[in-house]
Amino acid sequence: MNKKKTSLMVAAMLAVSAITFSGCSAGTAADNSASVSESAQGSQKANADVKLSDARNTPAVRAAKMVGPAVVGITNKAVVRDWFNNPVETQGVGSGVIFREDGYIVTNNHVVSGAKEIIVSLSDGRSLKGKLIGADELTDLAVVKVDGKDLPTAKFGDSDQIVVGEPAIAIGNPMGLEFRGSVTSGVVSAVNRTLDISDKLVKLIQTDAAINPGNSGGALVNADGEVIGINSAKLAASGVEGMGFAIPTNTVQNIIDEIMNKGYVARPYLGVSVFDPQTAGRYGYQLNIDKGVYIFQLTLNGPCGKAGLQRGDIILKVNDEEVNSVSDLRAKVAAHKVGDTVKVTFDRNGASRNVDVVLEEMPQDNH
């Protein structure tokens, strides 16, 4: 892929040259919310009462009826600085999915990041103030709460059971609230698709259902009307069409549980910052190693520091599995839990050594 031809559709915290998060649709979203007229809402209600033949009652129709009411619009009002350092209010719109009838909503982290104020637009036309419960930058997920009861909710399916080729329906608010509740359909193009985003390996569902700016945080639904993913990103490059990505619901539910319990996601860490030749080159360094990752910074009272590792050591293996890149090391550590003990094989001055390291919880300012 020619990265020079890659066009970012919308700014996002974790965007890379070939990947754009479907993001917030910027502009006058709050003003445009008024353009969703009462007649449009009445039309939606009328459509719900239409008698359909079996041929017309497609998976997309059923998914829209079952999940559509639980998909909301999220307006993020933030303050940025202009060229003269004056505060300027900006806003963008994304999507979210109600998963508890008392007002808990899952969305993308980049939809609510930096928000001064969050406004949630329900499918029945109401707008409620939202409160950020917690967010996780690594998985790009966040939980927002509104004051409400008996709200429509979506049912989460088992994303481990989805198969390539089955129907996939995306529901969200592409380009802003004036297009709220838009439904697009396609198929599951791939499962467990691994993308390397800022040296962080993220496993996603790939779909050709259209995902556009504003769809972020919306639902990817199967033919049974179950949410199987939270829409998050798409490839936006010249000549590339129909490559969208969603966070699997099994991952979503685990992250939701941690955010609801702690307000954040607890992750294990080694307490080291490492380079491989590629990442070193990005910072203008030349790293001449054939294998492993080089420790260029170490927290003395962190897990590796306590186990005796030093700056300049080269980590070769974790639990006897080779580690040759930053993303390799992160993936190996992420596969464990806080408190687990891992065997780290490292090179110091040409001699290979082994040491047991007890993984600790990553400090929040390191996320």
Side-chain angles (χ1 to χ4, degrees):
M1 182 183 299
N2 189 340
K3 292 187 178 180
K4 292 183 180 179
K5 294 183 179 179
T6 301
S7 58
L8 293 183
M9 295 177 59
V10 65
M13 290 184 63
L14 302 180
V16 294
S17 60
I19 301 170
T20 176
F21 285 79
S22 40
C24 294
S25 177
T28 57
D31 296 334
N32 289 338
S33 63
S35 69
V36 183
S37 63
E38 293 181 5
S39 62
Q41 294 168 21
S43 176
Q44 292 174 1
K45 294 177 182 178
N47 287 339
D49 298 329
V50 170
K51 301 291 186 181
L52 295 177
S53 66
D54 290 340
R56 292 174 61 197
N57 193 25
T58 64
V61 171
R62 295 194 297 271
K65 286 182 179 179
M66 296 175 68
V67 180
V71 176
V72 302
I74 297 182
T75 302
N76 174 343
K77 294 185 177 181
V79 175
V80 298
R81 296 281 175 174
D82 64 14
W83 286 101
F84 304 101
N85 203 35
N86 296 317
V88 178
E89 185 175 277
T90 64
Q91 61 186 24
V93 175
S95 305
V97 180
I98 304 173
F99 64 90
R100 269 181 38 173
E101 62 181 13
D102 54 348
Y104 284 92
I105 299 161
V106 62
T107 185
N108 286 145
N109 171 64
H110 73 264
V111 168
V112 295
S113 178
K116 177 185 176 184
E117 183 181 9
I118 297 172
I119 302 297
V120 176
S121 302
L122 304 181
S123 60
D124 62 10
R126 286 183 293 163
S127 292
L128 303 175
K129 185 169 289 190
K131 175 186 177 183
L132 181 63
I133 300 301
D136 182 52
E137 182 181 338
L138 182 62
T139 55
D140 194 27
L141 291 169
V143 174
V144 171
K145 174 74 167 65
V146 296
D147 289 332
K149 59 181 181 179
D150 299 325
L151 297 178
T153 60
K155 178 183 178 182
F156 284 3
D158 183 354
S159 58
D160 288 340
Q161 298 300 313
I162 63 176
V163 297
V164 173
E166 71 170 284
I169 300 97
I171 306 176
N173 309 299
M175 308 308 295
L177 294 180
E178 62 268 39
F179 299 109
R180 71 168 64 181
S182 292
V183 177
T184 58
S185 64
V187 297
V188 173
S189 303
V191 295
N192 293 324
R193 183 68 80 199
T194 300
L195 299 183
D196 193 345
I197 303 175
S198 300
D199 300 319
K200 301 170 184 177
L201 291 177
V202 182
K203 288 190 174 182
L204 302 170
I205 301 167
Q206 181 183 332
T207 180
D208 65 345
I211 295 175
N212 294 291
N215 272 116
S216 274
L220 188 68
V221 187
N222 65 15
D224 293 327
E226 299 171 328
V227 177
I228 54 174
I230 297 299
N231 298 323
S232 181
K234 69 174 292 183
L235 285 182
S238 177
V240 176
E241 294 292 341
M243 295 187 70
F245 299 91
I247 306 162
T249 45
N250 287 1
T251 298
V252 172
Q253 291 186 98
N254 290 335
I255 298 300
I256 284 174
D257 289 344
E258 290 236 28
I259 289 176
M260 298 280 283
N261 291 331
K262 299 181 179 180
Y264 67 94
V265 178
R267 287 194 171 86
Y269 90 131
L270 288 172
V272 293
S273 296
V274 297
F275 274 157
D276 56 34
Q278 184 177 5
T279 55
R282 295 177 193 168
Y283 294 94
Y285 298 101
Q286 185 174 354
L287 185 61
N288 295 317
I289 59 174
D290 296 326
K291 55 184 179 179
V293 292
Y294 176 85
I295 298 176
F296 73 90
Q297 196 170 22
L298 178 140
T299 304
L300 291 178
N301 62 347
C304 280
K306 292 176 182 177
L309 275 81
Q310 300 175 6
R311 186 177 185 274
D313 290 341
I314 300 171
I315 297 177
L316 302 173
K317 297 179 182 178
V318 174
N319 285 345
D320 296 322
E321 295 182 350
E322 288 190 357
V323 172
N324 291 313
S325 68
V326 174
S327 56
D328 277 352
L329 181 62
R330 286 176 172 160
K332 296 290 189 296
V333 174
H336 294 275
K337 298 179 179 180
V338 175
D340 286 353
T341 299
V342 296
K343 182 173 77 171
V344 175
T345 303
F346 66 98
D347 177 282
R348 180 182 295 168
N349 300 324
S352 180
R353 309 182 186 189
N354 294 314
V355 67
D356 288 335
V357 178
V358 179
L359 300 177
E360 298 178 8
E361 182 176 322
M362 181 185 294
Q364 287 305 291
D365 57 3
N366 283 7
H367 277 237

